[in-house]
Amino acid sequence: MYSFMGGGLFCAWVGTILLVVATATDHWMQYRLSGSFAHQGLWRYCLGNKCYLQTESIGEPQRRRLGHRGQPKAARDAGQPGWFSGCRARSTRLEVRPGSSTAYWNATRAFMILSSLCATAGIITGILAFAQQSTFTRLSRPFSAGIMFFASTLFVLLALAIYTGVTVSFLGRRFGDWRFSWSYILGWVALLMTFFAGIFYMCAYRMHECRRLSTPR
């Protein structure tokens, strides 16, 4: 039983670290603008050597963010190529409404943060599961830790599904040369780690229950 919990705890630690790194970094997507690479994350997007808040990106009303050349204000001030350069003919068709864009970013961020919190709570519960005397006799700690890790897996899956769907359907059409970057990949690796952590703790719970039922009272 303890070997399963040890393996689950290791996977949980790795998954939580990857979740935090993936949420905080700015390399979810990489694309090319005028021969140079740019990248974006959940909070910022970077053009050249300067980074701007994600609210300066897609989804803002044109009258607030676009100038006379169809460039974002922040990118125009920095002398960088705009998001809409070369796409004027398609700007109306590909424009994301402000409300839907805000919901898209907020949903992805919220699910990633919830996944990190669930993984952290699972680690705490998983560490307490090593104690022989359980404070809650009716609630198994390995089982509770497994549920928290599965919840973390569900939240990160929802975040990645939302980001993938919007990126492929919208941003992939706007940029001809683009790809997902390493922060996005770390999110999928974290999903696998939290899922295996839940599997390990559920195996430990089943082993503990089998031993408890087989022990004569």
Side-chain angles (χ1 to χ4, degrees), residues 51-71:
C51 296
Y52 309 94
L53 292 178
Q54 196 58 261
T55 53
E56 301 283 345
S57 168
I58 62 173
E60 292 294 326
Q62 278 191 324
R63 64 178 181 272
R64 294 176 57 188
R65 297 298 178 190
L66 299 184
H68 64 283
R69 293 185 179 180
Q71 294 183 350

Side-chain angles (χ1 to χ4, degrees), residues 99 113 123 129 144 163 171 178 181 199 204 210 212:
I113 292 174
I123 289 176
S144 301
Y163 186 86
L171 296 181
W178 69 276
S181 193
I199 292 293
C210 291
R212 185 178 65 85

Side-chain angles (χ1 to χ4, degrees), residues 25-38:
T25 50
D26 305 321
H27 290 268
W28 281 61
M29 176 186 175
Q30 187 174 354
Y31 49 92
R32 185 184 296 272
L33 287 175
S34 301
S36 60
F37 282 103

Side-chain angles (χ1 to χ4, degrees), residues 147-170:
I147 292 297
M148 296 304 296
F149 292 135
F150 284 140
S152 176
T153 302
L154 176 62
F155 285 136
V156 69
L157 178 61
L158 291 174
L160 293 171
I162 293 173
Y163 186 86
T164 303
V166 175
T167 301
V168 172
S169 62
F170 174 72

Side-chain angles (χ1 to χ4, degrees), residues 113-134:
I113 292 174
L114 285 174
S115 179
S116 301
L117 293 177
C118 287
T120 303
I123 289 176
I124 296 175
T125 308
I127 293 176
L128 295 177
F130 282 92
Q132 294 293 337
Q133 292 80 16
S134 178

Side-chain angles (χ1 to χ4, degrees), residues 33-105:
L33 287 175
S34 301
S36 60
F37 282 103
H39 56 87
Q40 70 170 3
L42 300 181
W43 311 95
R44 302 186 306 172
Y45 74 100
C46 300
L47 299 171
N49 296 324
K50 294 187 178 181
C51 296
Y52 309 94
L53 292 178
Q54 196 58 261
T55 53
E56 301 283 345
S57 168
I58 62 173
E60 292 294 326
Q62 278 191 324
R63 64 178 181 272
R64 294 176 57 188
R65 297 298 178 190
L66 299 184
H68 64 283
R69 293 185 179 180
Q71 294 183 350
K73 182 178 182 302
R76 191 174 65 256
D77 295 341
Q80 300 292 338
W83 282 72
F84 293 94
S85 60
C87 300
R88 299 174 188 175
R90 300 188 299 167
S91 60
T92 303
R93 180 169 60 89
L94 296 180
E95 183 179 359
V96 175
R97 294 180 180 179
S100 61
S101 176
T102 302
Y104 150 64
W105 289 118

